[in-house]
Amino acid sequence: MDKRTIGAAAAAIAVSAHGEVFNFDGDAAGAPPAGWTCGVTGKGKPRWTVEADASAPSAPNVLRQSGSGTFPWCVRKDLSIADGFVEVKFKPLSGSEDQAGGLVWRWKDGDNYYVARANALENNVSLYHTTGGSRRTIKYVDAPVAGNRWHTLRVEFAGKRIKVALDGKAYIDLEDSHIEGAGALGVWTKADSVTAFDDFACGPAK
């Protein structure tokens, strides 16, 4: 295990064959997880906190976004990857405008990154690039996203190739070159979505 992994915080579990997994169980409740940077693209007041959740895939804790903002995000800046994968389990809890759970990668800053998200109000999976603070749609596909249930969202990316899967089923597979090179990884929501996240996993391409 290298020095970066050792310093990645108590919530990280190094998995030699599958990258790293963060389950937030070693973090203090009521505050953002150690080592993560949280913010918003656009305006608003997101609230990212570690909270106890008996339904968590790996109990007892989850990372929960309970504030609101244009596009709230929470990333690990020390995990900078150009080609690899990112995956998370998420549970859409509530939201009148949106009930979204998303992943970001190749995150350069709060205004420039890729995002894939699943939406329980719209029942779809979408892929976007955010450039200069503006989110642009690359593709969206209808997909069943039940509210108040845990789902697994996964993205694999290498060069221009991007694959997005929900609950083990591939929905998007295409090429796009809007954002290149290494960037941070993290999770994302939209508007008034209250969403729980657990078992955030990531790693470089094999």
Side-chain angles (χ1 to χ4, degrees):
M1 188 180 298
D2 61 25
K3 292 181 179 179
R4 186 206 66 184
T5 302
I6 293 172
I13 302 173
V15 183
S16 59
H18 305 287
E20 295 181 77
V21 179
F22 299 80
N23 58 28
F24 312 109
D25 294 338
D27 291 286
W36 294 70
T37 300
C38 304
V40 61
T41 302
K43 299 180 180 180
K45 294 183 178 180
R47 185 173 186 267
W48 293 94
T49 54
V50 174
E51 304 290 346
D53 186 335
S55 75
S58 57
N61 291 346
V62 300
L63 173 60
R64 178 171 170 169
Q65 200 298 115
S66 57
S68 64
T70 310
F71 303 119
W73 46 260
C74 192
V75 302
R76 291 285 313 205
K77 290 184 178 179
D78 60 333
L79 299 177
S80 186
I81 296 175
D83 300 319
F85 78 93
V86 62
E87 178 179 298
V88 75
K89 294 181 175 67
F90 75 96
K91 183 179 182 180
L93 298 171
S94 65
S96 58
E97 184 178 345
D98 224 72
Q99 292 185 20
L103 287 165
V104 301
W105 67 99
R106 293 184 184 165
W107 187 96
K108 315 298 186 179
D109 55 41
D111 290 332
N112 298 278
Y113 54 85
Y114 277 116
V115 57
R117 73 101 173 95
N119 191 321
L121 290 185
E122 299 176 3
N123 279 305
N124 59 26
V125 173
S126 303
L127 172 64
Y128 308 93
H129 70 90
T130 298
T131 307
S134 296
R135 189 190 67 163
R136 306 291 185 183
T137 302
I138 299 172
K139 188 172 184 178
Y140 67 89
V141 179
D142 291 341
V145 188
N148 287 298
R149 293 186 183 180
W150 285 99
H151 302 274
T152 300
L153 184 64
R154 179 182 176 91
V155 180
E156 297 176 4
F157 50 99
K160 297 180 181 180
R161 192 73 175 270
I162 301 172
K163 300 179 181 180
V164 183
L166 177 70
D167 295 333
K169 180 178 178 179
Y171 284 94
I172 296 174
D173 186 345
L174 51 71
E175 291 190 349
D176 185 87
S177 59
H178 282 95
I179 301 175
E180 299 177 333
L185 309 165
V187 292
W188 178 100
T189 67
K190 179 186 174 185
D192 62 345
S193 302
V194 177
T195 308
F197 297 89
D198 200 7
D199 297 343
F200 177 88
C202 59
K206 294 181 179 180

